[in-house]
Amino acid sequence: MAQREFDVVVIGAGAPGEVVAGRLGEAGVEVAIVEERLVGGECSFYACMPSKALLRPLDVSAEARRVPGVAVGELDVDAVLARRDEIVHDLDDSSQLPWLDDRGVALVRGHARLDGERRVVVADDVLLARRAVVIATGGAATIPPVPGLAEARPWTNVEATTAKHVPGRLFVLGGGVVGVELAQAWSALGSRVTLVHNGDRLIEREEPFAGEHLAAGLRDAGVDIRFE
């Protein structure tokens, strides 16, 4: 195994990990950041950026329809998906790397595991942290314990934000921010969407009126909402 030493090793190159590594690098700290997927993480490739790219044409189209005399046609689905792909750089993170390079942050690609105090193993590399290891691995979608659901290989936010074709029907389980965004986007692009939420209102972390307005808007857009 090859062994290298750094002041700090950051595990996870999503937004939190990047910020930590970047700030430390700017301060002259010798930093390595480990990422097994894409530098930039969920927000850049499987969440905020692609979901907003899918929703933006809907927003512009709806706003234009409010102006008398403006003719608005149907959405060009292929163009919407192509623009989404452009936003996420076709899942290529090379544009993210100069930001790390400029701050002197070393990128190590692969799956990291802790192997002792301030010792991180990535494939055949051993990274020793003289001062600290920062764990910024983010999260992953939870598959509810519904019999047969896991075996059916359901979409998570990863598949739902990067799909190349509009599904004929889509069942969205969960009425949080991610669920309602994807329900709205795919419904507008032509999918028959049913959204089921285990609760009495959508986006429960927000004020009640926000969930009420959102539910009304989704129903007007053709989304079948069911509360369990």
Side-chain angles (χ1 to χ4, degrees):
M1 285 188 171
Q3 184 168 294
R4 291 185 282 171
E5 289 192 15
F6 299 88
D7 292 324
V8 176
V9 175
V10 179
I11 301 176
E18 278 190 308
V19 170
V20 170
R23 292 287 179 86
L24 291 172
E26 290 170 350
V29 177
E30 190 176 3
V31 186
I33 192 166
V34 184
E35 176 56 51
E36 67 174 330
R37 296 176 71 181
L38 295 170
V39 173
E42 296 282 307
C43 184
S44 295
F45 297 101
Y46 305 115
C48 315
M49 299 294 285
S51 68
K52 300 306 182 291
L54 291 171
L55 289 168
R56 181 58 175 160
L58 285 57
D59 181 44
V60 173
S61 178
E63 186 64 25
R65 286 189 171 91
R66 295 189 183 99
V67 180
V70 176
V72 181
E74 297 297 322
L75 290 174
D76 184 332
V77 174
D78 290 338
V80 172
L81 298 181
R83 175 59 175 162
R84 184 273 318 273
D85 291 342
E86 181 182 355
I87 293 293
V88 301
H89 302 286
D90 291 311
L91 303 182
D92 178 355
D93 65 358
S94 58
S95 64
Q96 306 268 18
L97 306 188
W99 191 89
L100 295 176
D101 293 338
D102 291 345
R103 289 156 179 79
V105 177
L107 172 63
V108 179
R109 292 192 182 271
H111 178 78
R113 62 181 178 87
L114 297 175
D115 187 45
E117 185 176 354
R118 298 194 303 277
R119 179 183 171 96
V120 179
V121 174
V122 185
D124 294 329
D125 289 329
V126 177
L127 310 178
L128 300 179
R130 290 184 285 263
R131 296 170 61 179
V133 173
V134 177
I135 299 177
T137 52
T142 298
I143 306 300
V146 177
L149 181 58
E151 292 74 16
R153 295 185 297 175
W155 279 4
T156 66
N157 65 294
V158 172
E159 293 81 13
T161 54
T162 59
K164 299 294 187 180
H165 305 284
V166 178
R169 300 194 66 173
L170 185 65
F171 182 91
V172 179
L173 187 56
V177 174
V178 175
V180 297
E181 282 193 344
L182 294 174
Q184 180 185 9
W186 288 112
S187 175
L189 292 174
S191 181
R192 293 175 58 193
V193 178
T194 298
L195 188 154
V196 175
H197 181 61
N198 184 19
D200 56 6
R201 62 185 177 88
L202 302 177
I203 53 171
E204 292 174 329
R205 294 185 179 183
E206 308 299 329
E207 294 173 309
F209 79 88
E212 294 168 3
H213 283 297
L214 183 56
L218 288 174
R219 287 191 173 107
D220 288 343
V223 176
D224 179 11
I225 301 176
R226 305 186 186 190
F227 295 102
E228 299 293 335

